Amino acid sequence: MLRLGFLASHTGSNMQAIIDACTAGTLAAEPCVVVSNNSQSGALARARQANIAAYHLSAQTHGEALGGAILAALQRHRAEVICLAGYMKRLGAEVLTAYEGRILNIHPSLLPKFGGQGMYGMRVHEAVLAAGEQESGATVHLVDEEYDQGRVLAQEKVPVKAGDAPETLQKRVLAVEHRLYAATLVRIAAGKIPIPLPHCRA
Ligand code: GAR
């Protein structure tokens, strides 16, 4: 069983979709820890509801020690793969180094389009519509030091429809994200996407 750690800032619907896939047995993995920078996040509430260890760790609570505290939480619960699920903070060097090649993110566009610093959540959908794109989509990729630039593992297109508002496009993309993220983890768990498993190096 692949042990999954999550970092999430807000609703946590992507994380929930992955938890549900584990519960349903379609994904051979075990969600073992959730970390959020936001004490009021839906992600932390969902984690507690699912009996998964949940931590509120932020620059406010931990200052300079934040990166080490996040790494300690992930390692305490023996997370092997880290899923960023709407995590709106930059990851510290501690986690990036210890989990190099084993940190995934989901982004609500067809990267490299509409990625990079400041491009997240609804801002992405607003930018896609402002650019007059005919299609958007979702991307699962590996995380490195640069925003949204790691190797793409999976991508799925979503049509932009006439009359779309950012909210309607977001809803259509989010439905695909939920399916795509879990499906990518299924391929990782089955060894079809090789990533360096299982032990943390730190
Ligand atoms: C998702 O759409 C995700 O792709 C996006 O935030 C949303 C989180 O929703 N992430 C980014 O924009 C990262 N750059 P969720 O909390 O319901 O999973």
Side-chain angles (χ1 to χ4, degrees), residues 45-83:
R46 290 174 193 271
R48 294 189 188 107
Q49 179 76 25
N51 270 321
I52 301 167
Y55 295 88
H56 168 225
L57 304 175
S58 71
Q60 279 71 40
T61 61
H62 284 74
E64 293 291 306
L66 177 62
I70 294 176
L71 179 59
L74 297 173
Q75 292 183 328
R76 189 175 311 131
H77 295 278
R78 294 180 287 117
E80 295 170 313
V81 169
I82 309 306
C83 301

Side-chain angles (χ1 to χ4, degrees), residues 83-185:
C83 301
L84 305 191
Y87 188 59
M88 300 305 175
K89 298 288 176 187
R90 197 187 265 274
L91 262 189
E94 297 89 343
V95 175
L96 282 171
T97 303
Y99 283 95
E100 188 180 354
R102 293 184 287 142
I103 308 171
L104 277 65
N105 183 40
I106 185 134
H107 186 82
S109 76
L110 296 173
L111 289 176
K113 283 185 153 185
F114 305 101
Q117 189 157 13
M119 236 353 140
Y120 56 84
M122 197 62 85
R123 289 188 187 190
V124 176
H125 305 299
E126 288 165 356
V128 167
L129 293 179
E133 297 286 313
Q134 308 259 312
E135 61 183 17
S136 187
T139 303
V140 178
H141 64 96
L142 291 174
V143 173
D144 58 22
E145 312 74 41
E146 303 299 328
Y147 277 109
D148 302 327
Q149 286 191 17
R151 178 160 66 94
V152 170
L153 302 181
Q155 205 161 51
E156 190 172 321
K157 291 178 180 171
V158 172
V160 173
K161 295 189 178 170
D164 255 342
E167 292 77 11
T168 54
L169 179 58
Q170 178 194 43
K171 197 172 165 202
R172 200 175 307 121
V173 172
L174 199 54
V176 168
E177 289 183 45
H178 293 164
R179 186 159 33 76
L180 190 67
Y181 212 168
T184 307
L185 286 162

